[in-house]
Amino acid sequence: MFRYNFLDRNEVKRFETPFNENYMEVHLEDTSVNPTGNQSWKPIHCVMPSKYQDYAERIRNLTVYEDDVWIVTFPKAGTTWTQEMVWLIDHDLDYKTASTVNLTERSVFLEISALVSHLGLPDTVTQVEQLNRPRHIKSHLPLALLPMQLWTVKPKIIYTARNPKDVTTSFMHHYKYLHGFKGTQEDFLDGILADKIVYCPQIKHATEFWAIANLEHVLFIHFEDMKRNLTTVLQSVCNFLGKTYTSRQLLELKQHLTFDTMKANNAANNQILVKQIQIASGIRNDFKFMRKGQVGSYKDELPTAFINKFNEFVENQLSGTTFQYRE
């Protein structure tokens, strides 16, 4: 079902972290289940550590249920924010449960145990299999590596895209302070341009989902729209999930989802995951999983020369598609 192309260690070792080792490209070879409907579909590969081999087919063959709700994003594209928003809308604005049961348990990160080594995390694929229905599941995997039953059973899938320059900025901090990346900023940015960082290719991750955004069980949203007009996005998600709330209820939800409120909410800000990793790894810092949550913060943190290169890179990657990132 999959072909694994191990990358040259001399080439990629400066992009690796202590928890993500022996990088490889994961290629889907069985395209008998084709979500795009395009017979010429050539699924993109995904860069993952070698440990992923132990989970790839389990994830691809995972049993999917019609009442599942899936949140799919490239890392640092507004995933946690989307998870909390979608879980509350789908669970009748149950703030009591949302404040007492951590988001990592309410909306499980499918492949994290396949991604990181040496941390003693539970088998999250088994955890997803054992979740009470309706299940909420998070993944950063690209189209080709996700369970194939997503396209036959057709549960609700919400994809969030974010400007890749802001994603890169946030991912760089995440890589350094959470994954223990020891390289330089230049190393990381070179890895992004070479599509050799975990979960890359980054741009095609979004364009492949954009190509199926017309499917009835897929909703494609933008991080920047959530920042600038959250009320409209909330209504779109409500319509998608078949939920109806009053203007007052949506206003309360909007307040709950403000960045400052989310960042201070220990049931939803992923600090529990940060602590687990820090304890297991011995890393000690004051890293906050939810860092800035801004639009355009890359302008203050990325070198101008890289921004220019990256703009050209993104333009080339988007060529032939109708997709455009928000600025």
Side-chain angles (χ1 to χ4, degrees):
M1 184 176 291
F2 293 103
R3 173 170 54 86
Y4 303 104
N5 176 27
F6 280 86
L7 302 179
D8 187 306
R9 291 283 292 140
N10 292 324
E11 178 188 355
V12 300
K13 62 183 179 182
R14 67 188 178 115
F15 308 143
E16 295 182 348
T17 80
F19 309 138
N20 308 136
E21 300 174 319
N22 300 320
Y23 283 8
M24 61 185 184
E25 294 177 352
V26 184
H27 294 260
L28 175 68
E29 297 205 312
D30 177 10
T31 58
S32 57
V33 176
N34 181 348
T36 70
N38 183 348
Q39 296 305 310
S40 61
W41 177 51
K42 295 181 179 179
I44 63 167
H45 67 272
C46 184
V47 174
M48 296 295 280
S50 59
K51 186 179 182 182
Y52 188 77
Q53 291 177 99
D54 298 334
Y55 292 83
E57 295 204 15
R58 286 181 61 200
I59 290 173
R60 186 68 177 160
N61 292 314
L62 184 78
T63 298
V64 171
Y65 300 104
E66 189 175 0
D67 57 356
D68 283 349
V69 178
W70 288 70
I71 308 299
V72 182
T73 70
F74 192 82
K76 311 309 293 182
T79 320
T80 305
W81 197 12
T82 305
Q83 287 175 273
E84 182 76 350
M85 170 181 69
V86 172
W87 191 91
L88 280 164
I89 289 174
D90 196 41
H91 288 82
D92 302 322
L93 307 182
D94 182 1
Y95 294 108
K96 181 178 179 180
T97 300
S99 66
T100 55
V101 180
N102 199 277
L103 183 60
T104 58
E105 299 175 47
R106 291 183 279 121
S107 186
V108 175
F109 186 178
L110 173 65
E111 72 272 8
I112 189 171
S113 58
L115 180 68
V116 296
S117 304
H118 320 310
L119 292 184
L121 295 176
D123 184 329
T124 46
V125 178
T126 298
Q127 190 176 353
V128 165
E129 291 171 337
Q130 296 175 350
L131 276 178
N132 292 329
R133 295 170 58 186
R135 307 181 305 182
H136 276 233
I137 303 162
K138 155 193 166 179
S139 179
H140 295 313
L141 294 173
L143 207 61
L145 272 58
L146 287 166
M148 55 185 155
Q149 286 188 11
L150 288 179
W151 320 114
T152 55
V153 177
K154 301 181 179 179
K156 299 295 187 184
I157 305 170
I158 298 175
Y159 186 93
T160 305
R162 185 183 185 187
N163 187 293
K165 287 168 286 193
D166 280 331
V167 165
T168 294
T169 303
S170 185
F171 201 12
M172 181 169 59
H173 286 274
H174 186 93
Y175 230 55
K176 179 177 180 179
Y177 294 107
L178 192 58
H179 287 215
F181 178 61
K182 301 298 184 183
T184 65
Q185 182 188 63
E186 182 181 6
D187 288 332
F188 183 84
L189 298 180
D190 284 348
I192 288 291
L193 286 174
D195 270 332
K196 302 299 185 186
I197 300 295
V198 167
Y199 286 116
C200 284
Q202 180 185 173
I203 311 307
K204 291 182 179 178
H205 194 289
T207 58
E208 277 213 318
F209 256 91
W210 179 250
I212 62 165
N214 62 317
L215 297 179
E216 289 187 0
H217 70 295
V218 175
L219 178 66
F220 195 106
I221 61 179
H222 292 263
F223 174 90
E224 293 77 13
D225 292 345
M226 293 171 70
K227 289 294 292 186
R228 292 171 177 144
N229 197 347
L230 183 56
T231 301
T232 299
V233 176
L234 291 178
Q235 191 59 63
S236 178
V237 174
C238 287
N239 294 342
F240 182 66
L241 296 176
K243 297 288 184 176
T244 302
Y245 298 108
T246 66
S247 297
R248 185 171 181 175
Q249 287 175 311
L250 291 178
L251 185 62
E252 183 181 10
L253 178 58
K254 183 178 178 180
Q255 179 58 42
H256 176 85
L257 293 171
T258 62
F259 184 80
D260 288 344
T261 301
M262 283 281 293
K263 189 173 182 178
N265 181 358
N266 288 330
N269 61 14
N270 266 340
Q271 284 308 112
I272 188 172
L273 177 62
V274 171
K275 288 181 180 179
Q276 285 177 328
I277 292 176
Q278 288 179 335
I279 291 170
S281 65
I283 294 173
R284 295 291 182 268
N285 55 54
D286 60 355
F287 177 73
K288 297 293 187 290
F289 194 95
M290 298 188 69
R291 199 175 59 92
K292 288 186 177 180
Q294 297 175 350
V295 174
S297 63
Y298 73 87
K299 297 172 186 176
D300 300 322
E301 302 194 50
L302 297 180
T304 301
F306 172 78
I307 293 174
N308 292 336
K309 283 183 183 178
F310 198 41
N311 284 338
E312 184 177 349
F313 173 79
V314 173
E315 184 178 351
N316 289 335
Q317 294 279 306
L318 294 180
S319 178
T321 78
T322 60
F323 179 66
Q324 291 292 321
Y325 287 102
R326 303 284 198 262
E327 288 290 340

